[in-house]
Amino acid sequence: MSLRRLSLLLVPTCAAWLGCAEAGPPSDEMKGPDFVWSDPREGTATVADGDLLPGCGEPDAGPVEADAGVPDTSVLVTADSRFHASTGVTVVPQDLSTRDLELLVPDPSGVGFDRRSGTPVPGGMRFDNIPDGEFFVRSNHLYYLTRERRFDLGVNRVGRPDAVYSPVSYSPVTVDLSQMDPWQDYESISAPGTFLQVVSGDVDLAASLDFSTWPLAGATSHQDPDAYLSGFTGYPLPVLDPAKGDRVYVNQLNAVPSGTLPSGGPMAYTTVTSSQHLPSFAFTPDGTTPLSLTSSLQPTPRSEFSMEWRLSEFTRWRADVNPDSTLSLPIFQVLPVPHGLEHGWVGYQGELLNLTLPRGETGVITRRMAFGNPYPASWGVLGYVTYTFRAGTPVIVGSRGHYPTGSITVVDRLEHFIAGPIVPKISPPQAVRIDGLDAYVSRSVGTTQPVVSWQQPVLGTPQAYSVTLTKLVDTFEGLPTKRFYVPGNRTYLRLPPNALEPASTYYLRVTADGSPGFEPWRAPSISMERLPGSTASTFSAAFTTP
């Protein structure tokens, strides 16, 4: 994941009667088909020639391999699904014939793009007669600036390649749990109490298990004929096939006290305290037929570690995230990675440990903690930290209020992650402008192809930048987004025509990605998951279009 999809990183909302919500990383920052938690794998120098589109006349947009003989003017876009299972990695080509996919070639006039459609061929989509130079590969709402003649839209998946996936991400459950650790009630976002997850590495399954009636505090068993399972991988729920050996883990996470916060309040984290790896069984999710889930939980093995989290090294960049931003949520997690870390952060199978601090917490946390881990030694473990910042006042659109956000994130193998103090590896881009004017001041943008520009971060070296346009709407549906990726030697982007809709409200986020293995000009989704990872973003004020 965009730094990348996380079930506990769903950005909290304000009280429903206020109608306010944080406009956090959109769903395309999360892993999954055209996803990456979001979470998560989810973000000037003066433009010398105002009429120059990004890529026109520029030396590169990442490395290019020379072809011997007659130049090939075609571009081949492929998209393989790489399924990671206990038996190894299996590559399955995707059919791109129905994908919303095109190339945008800069017009020689310096304004606009020539949109090119492709021809389905074995193994992908071919685009013919593409001139030398740079162009955008557009897949749905994602745009990648490249000059590569072979471009890979492939994704990593968890589980066996012949798994069947249902059309639903929700299922009713008849549940009977026993030998639980004593149930803990929800108190706050920093003390969420008990929660349960259902996870598999045999198929791509990770889901929260919720009840229609909650157990009483201290309860160690619970039956509920009307429980429900909600998937959070970005993919639908899979069919479980006992003939294939499909099994699931039922995990209970409880809070563990851990001293005091720098601000003086109590600190606690949640971790897997009990689990059961159920025998194989058959189930086909259809959204109506309940899953029968009976589990007798057992204590999980625990691993101890020490960490030093320098929160103040994150909060000191607040003004670069946005001059008017406020400190929001700091989150530390230990996460499982099915079948190892050779290919990076593949999949999102819930959490082993989660520490969510109160808004605005700063200072330094030095602590020894322990996490429960029910998974085999072949699974990897990584550490993840993010500190979010949000607008000081909401942007009101109709009856809905939005809090634009930015964040600073670090992710790595756990042993590397805790080898030294946890600090940012890259800071946010600076001085974002729209058509040369300060983007941190609300205004109306009248041009149809504005130029977004920024300055390089003070800390770290960007491998790439992403520019995310988020449309703020007056309904409580998901926020429409468009995202553009450019190499780290670029500090501007001219938007293509129709990127902005008329009579609309937007904000934009510019993210510097310092992950050394990230190559959005060649293989964005696969390379986004390589470790280590580091990002930092800055966000604009809201702006409107006439």
Side-chain angles (χ1 to χ4, degrees), residues 3-4 42-43 60-63 143-146 426-429 454-457 459-468 483-492 509-524 527-528 533-538:
L3 304 171
R4 331 298 189 190
E42 125 265 28
D60 62 20
Y143 297 70
Y144 305 100
L145 184 63
T146 183
I426 196 166
S427 61
W454 59 90
Q455 294 179 6
Q456 292 185 343
L459 172 68
T461 302
Q463 179 79 352
Y465 292 102
S466 65
V467 178
T468 303
R483 173 164 299 145
F484 303 81
Y485 290 90
V486 300
N489 61 353
R490 301 299 171 84
T491 52
Y492 68 94
R509 182 189 294 117
V510 182
T511 300
D513 196 313
S515 311
F518 186 35
E519 298 178 319
W521 55 83
R522 179 181 289 128
S527 67
M528 182 179 288
S534 59
T535 62
S537 59
T538 180

Side-chain angles (χ1 to χ4, degrees), residues 327-338:
L327 304 181
S328 192
L329 291 175
I331 297 174
F332 172 96
Q333 292 186 316
V334 177
L335 305 169
V337 180

Side-chain angles (χ1 to χ4, degrees), residues 251-305:
N251 296 336
Q252 178 183 0
L253 291 89
N254 266 23
V256 177
S258 186
T260 58
L261 296 164
S263 60
M267 187 180 109
Y269 59 88
T270 56
T271 186
V272 179
T273 56
S274 59
S275 175
Q276 185 183 15
H277 195 195
L278 297 179
S280 298
F281 61 92
F283 182 67
T284 300
D286 58 14
T288 302
T289 305
L291 165 67
S292 180
L293 198 62
T294 300
S295 179
S296 178
L297 301 176
Q298 301 295 323
T300 55
R302 293 163 62 84
S303 298
E304 293 189 351
F305 68 98

Side-chain angles (χ1 to χ4, degrees), residues 27-67:
S27 60
D28 60 296
E29 289 187 0
M30 304 179 182
K31 293 185 183 178
D34 272 352
F35 292 169
V36 187
W37 175 19
S38 105
D39 191 51
R41 331 221 167 91
E42 125 265 28
T44 186
T46 302
V47 180
D49 182 347
D51 293 329
L52 190 65
L53 289 170
C56 295
E58 295 296 333
D60 62 20
V64 61
E65 297 178 2
D67 290 327

Side-chain angles (χ1 to χ4, degrees), residues 189-431:
I189 192 170
S190 299
T194 298
F195 59 98
L196 295 131
Q197 295 179 342
V198 177
V199 172
S200 178
D202 303 314
V203 289
D204 200 351
L205 170 64
S208 61
L209 176 61
D210 296 296
F211 301 130
S212 62
T213 58
W214 295 103
L216 297 176
T220 57
S221 64
H222 188 64
Q223 297 79 41
D224 189 343
D226 299 312
Y228 52 97
L229 201 67
S230 302
F232 52 74
T233 65
Y235 294 97
L237 296 176
V239 174
L240 300 177
D241 185 349
K244 302 290 186 180
D246 297 339
R247 301 177 66 186
V248 303
Y249 294 86
V250 178
N251 296 336
Q252 178 183 0
L253 291 89
N254 266 23
V256 177
S258 186
T260 58
L261 296 164
S263 60
M267 187 180 109
Y269 59 88
T270 56
T271 186
V272 179
T273 56
S274 59
S275 175
Q276 185 183 15
H277 195 195
L278 297 179
S280 298
F281 61 92
F283 182 67
T284 300
D286 58 14
T288 302
T289 305
L291 165 67
S292 180
L293 198 62
T294 300
S295 179
S296 178
L297 301 176
Q298 301 295 323
T300 55
R302 293 163 62 84
S303 298
E304 293 189 351
F305 68 98
S306 298
M307 65 93 167
E308 180 180 339
W309 185 8
R310 296 182 179 174
L311 297 164
S312 54
E313 290 296 310
F314 290 78
T315 59
R316 75 185 185 97
W317 299 107
R318 181 201 60 78
D320 283 14
V321 175
N322 183 288
D324 297 320
S325 68
T326 61
L327 304 181
S328 192
L329 291 175
I331 297 174
F332 172 96
Q333 292 186 316
V334 177
L335 305 169
V337 180
H339 317 303
L341 294 166
E342 179 183 357
H343 301 278
W345 183 2
V346 176
Y348 188 80
Q349 311 307 108
E351 303 87 34
L352 299 176
L353 180 149
N354 184 78
L355 169 62
T356 301
L357 302 181
R359 291 188 190 274
E361 193 69 35
T362 189
V364 178
I365 293 177
T366 303
R367 207 60 44 96
R368 188 161 184 82
M369 299 189 290
F371 62 90
N373 188 353
Y375 304 116
S378 59
W379 285 36
V381 179
L382 58 81
Y384 176 98
V385 152
T386 189
Y387 204 118
T388 59
F389 306 76
R390 71 173 190 172
T393 56
V395 179
I396 306 299
V397 180
S399 61
R400 183 176 179 183
H402 303 267
Y403 283 94
T405 65
S407 62
I408 301 175
T409 299
V410 184
V411 60
D412 203 351
R413 297 169 178 261
L414 182 62
E415 63 269 26
H416 297 169
F417 194 69
I418 60 176
I422 301 170
V423 297
K425 308 301 182 184
I426 196 166
S427 61
Q430 303 181 92

